Amino acid sequence: HQRRPAGREATGGEGAMSRPNISEMQQHIAELVERHEIIVSWCRTPTKAWGSRGIYEVQIAPAKSDVSYVAALHEIGHLLGQHQESRDSVVRERWAWRWARKNAHMWTPRMESRRRVFLELSLVNRRRDHAVIACGPSPGTIPTDDLNASNDE
């Protein structure tokens, strides 16, 4: 492994480059969505972002920091990254994050932290979803009329 000079951020994409400013991050996102003809709608915060491969659309917050920049890249990764047709949501998340890291013009500790937190959250959600499937629905979630109707047939 090659050591980076002290204070240099880890970078993604091609070669080492200095940390882009906000307008460069915004330009990078604009270029990606234009080049790939992705429909964009805007939200206020990165936590409201999403990407839909089915309609080739992302909802992203404007890139005003490394966190909103990486959130936008991650959502674009859901459209352009590998394995986005997987039935496993964790696989889709991991590969969207890989795409974001590979295509980012920089990779900061805050971006890495966000990646780790959201990957862990996707694992927690998968465990919860599998527990619900294994145990069946919670009591009271199936209307009793539906149960009675099935018994009448």
Side-chain angles (χ1 to χ4, degrees), residues 98-141:
R98 284 184 186 184
W99 188 95
R101 184 166 188 165
K102 179 181 177 188
N103 288 277
H105 285 179
M106 61 161 172
W107 197 259
T108 67
R110 285 177 12 132
M111 294 164 80
E112 179 61 20
S113 176
R114 183 173 178 86
R115 183 190 73 83
R116 288 175 188 239
V117 165
F118 280 88
L119 280 176
E120 181 60 33
L121 182 60
S122 69
L123 288 168
V124 168
N125 288 339
R126 180 171 66 179
R127 284 187 214 112
R128 182 204 62 218
D129 293 346
H130 283 277
V132 169
I133 291 168
C135 298
S138 301
T141 58

Side-chain angles (χ1 to χ4, degrees), residues 79-98:
L79 279 59
L80 303 178
Q82 293 180 308
H83 306 294
Q84 294 304 302
E85 299 295 327
S86 174
R87 293 178 66 191
D88 187 335
S89 63
V90 174
V91 169
R92 293 190 308 268
E93 288 299 314
R94 281 185 179 151
W95 283 92
W97 281 112
R98 284 184 186 184

Side-chain angles (χ1 to χ4, degrees), residues 2-152:
Q2 190 176 19
R3 289 186 57 89
R4 289 184 180 82
R8 184 94 190 207
E9 301 290 332
T11 61
E14 293 295 316
M17 74 175 45
S18 62
R19 185 176 176 151
N21 63 36
I22 292 171
S23 65
E24 291 168 333
M25 288 187 273
Q26 291 170 342
Q27 183 62 33
H28 182 218
I29 299 299
E31 288 169 358
L32 286 169
V33 298
E34 183 178 336
R35 181 180 328 128
H36 297 285
E37 300 179 350
I38 298 170
I39 299 165
V40 178
S41 57
W42 300 99
C43 59
R44 288 179 175 240
T45 67
T47 57
K48 302 291 185 192
W50 53 263
S52 172
R53 195 175 182 125
I55 57 175
Y56 222 64
E57 179 177 4
V58 292
Q59 176 175 292
I60 55 178
K64 295 180 178 178
S65 70
D66 55 346
V67 170
S68 51
Y69 173 64
V70 77
L73 288 172
H74 170 78
E75 297 310 333
I76 294 168
H78 278 299
L79 279 59
L80 303 178
Q82 293 180 308
H83 306 294
Q84 294 304 302
E85 299 295 327
S86 174
R87 293 178 66 191
D88 187 335
S89 63
V90 174
V91 169
R92 293 190 308 268
E93 288 299 314
R94 281 185 179 151
W95 283 92
W97 281 112
R98 284 184 186 184
W99 188 95
R101 184 166 188 165
K102 179 181 177 188
N103 288 277
H105 285 179
M106 61 161 172
W107 197 259
T108 67
R110 285 177 12 132
M111 294 164 80
E112 179 61 20
S113 176
R114 183 173 178 86
R115 183 190 73 83
R116 288 175 188 239
V117 165
F118 280 88
L119 280 176
E120 181 60 33
L121 182 60
S122 69
L123 288 168
V124 168
N125 288 339
R126 180 171 66 179
R127 284 187 214 112
R128 182 204 62 218
D129 293 346
H130 283 277
V132 169
I133 291 168
C135 298
S138 301
T141 58
I142 301 174
T144 53
D145 291 345
D146 290 347
L147 292 175
N148 293 334
S150 64
N151 291 336
D152 291 341

